[in-house]
């Protein structure tokens, strides 16, 4: 082999070594970005995992609990206000009709006094006694009226089942149909509450 051939051979070998070296270098360079990309991906996942602050979660839980407590408070407050109004209404009603029981119990006594006043007599002692009973009757009615007792108007009035109790049917041409011709027993009411309806005759 001549020197020229050896020179060409050396040159060819050097060229192949250089190309081999360049390919390895290129392969290494191409592989590095993939490694960097994976590192960036891992960093991103770590950031996402650590982005939720435990304090924020605690604040949210406390806020939810505060809202629940506020709802409970408002509900209890509303119930308490309703209870207060109901008690106040009951107290007002009891105060308005506090004398109802006493007045109801005393009505038969008034009836007996009025029956006694209907008895007639000519004797002076009888008239004197009757006058005394009449004064007691008037005084008693005055005291009861001051406590809210009212007589229910009946005779000549239109029959009202809320205030009147029809026990007899009448046929009187001087009255219209449905009018009360006679009161058989007086009725009374306390303010707007009926204590006892009037017993009446009603024209047919």
């Amino acid at each position: 082999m001549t020197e020229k051939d050896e020179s060409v051979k050396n040159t060819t070998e050097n060229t192949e070594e250089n190309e081999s070296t360049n390919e390895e270098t290129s392969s290494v360079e191409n592989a590095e970005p993939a490694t960097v990309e994976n590192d960036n991906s891992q960093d991103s996942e770590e950031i996402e995992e650590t982005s939720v602050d435990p304090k924020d979660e605690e604040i949210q839980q406390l806020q939810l609990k505060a809202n629940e407590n506020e709802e409970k408070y408002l509900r209890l407050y509303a119930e308490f206000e309703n209870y207060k109004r109901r008690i106040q209404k009951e107290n007002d009603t009891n105060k308005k009709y506090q004398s109802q029981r006493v007045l109801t119990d005393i009505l038969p006594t008034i009836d007996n006094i009025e029956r006694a006043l209907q008895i007639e007599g000519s004797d002076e002692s009888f008239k004197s006694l009757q006058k005394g009973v009449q004064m007691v009757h008037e005084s008693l009615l005055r005291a009861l009226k001051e406590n809210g007792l009212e007589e229910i108007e009946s005779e000549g009035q239109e029959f009202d089942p809320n205030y009147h109790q029809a026990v007899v049917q009448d046929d009187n041409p001087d009255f219209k149909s449905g009018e009360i011709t006679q009161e058989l027993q007086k009725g009374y009411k306390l303010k707007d509450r009926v204590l006892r309806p009037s017993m009446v005759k009603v024209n047919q």
Side-chain angles (χ1 to χ4, degrees), residues 47-64:
I47 292 172
E48 289 178 359
E49 291 177 357
T50 58
S51 61
V52 179
D53 193 343
K55 291 184 178 180
D56 293 339
E57 291 183 356
E58 184 177 359
I59 291 172
Q60 290 179 357
Q61 292 177 357
L62 291 175
Q63 185 65 42
L64 290 174

Side-chain angles (χ1 to χ4, degrees), residues 16-148:
E16 290 176 353
E17 290 176 358
N18 290 335
E19 288 177 354
S20 176
T21 303
N22 291 335
E23 288 176 359
E24 290 177 358
T25 303
S26 176
S27 176
V28 171
E29 290 177 353
N30 291 334
E32 288 179 355
T35 303
V36 173
E37 183 178 354
N38 291 334
D39 292 341
N40 291 336
S41 177
Q42 291 177 356
D43 293 340
S44 177
E45 291 177 358
E46 291 177 358
I47 292 172
E48 289 178 359
E49 291 177 357
T50 58
S51 61
V52 179
D53 193 343
K55 291 184 178 180
D56 293 339
E57 291 183 356
E58 184 177 359
I59 291 172
Q60 290 179 357
Q61 292 177 357
L62 291 175
Q63 185 65 42
L64 290 174
K65 190 172 182 180
N67 293 337
E68 292 177 359
N69 291 334
E70 183 179 7
E71 290 180 2
K72 290 180 181 178
Y73 167 77
L74 293 175
R75 185 159 56 255
L76 289 174
Y77 180 79
E79 291 177 357
F80 181 68
E81 288 297 316
N82 291 333
Y83 170 77
K84 280 174 41 178
R85 283 193 292 269
R86 185 170 63 254
I87 294 299
Q88 183 63 40
K89 185 177 180 180
E90 290 177 359
N91 290 337
D92 293 341
T93 301
N94 292 334
K95 184 177 181 180
K96 184 178 181 180
Y97 302 108
Q98 61 183 350
S99 58
Q100 176 176 348
R101 186 170 183 178
V102 174
L103 295 176
T104 302
D105 292 341
I106 208 169
L107 292 182
T109 302
I110 298 175
D111 295 336
N112 292 332
I113 294 175
E114 291 177 347
R115 292 190 188 98
L117 291 174
Q118 292 175 356
I119 300 174
E120 296 180 357
S122 58
D123 188 78
E124 289 295 328
S125 60
F126 175 82
K127 289 183 178 180
S128 178
L129 178 62
Q130 187 180 48
K131 186 175 181 180
V133 172
Q134 186 174 5
M135 291 176 63
V136 171
H137 178 252
E138 292 175 353
S139 177
L140 179 60
L141 285 180
R142 190 181 308 112
L144 295 176
K145 287 179 179 179
E146 289 177 355
N147 284 274

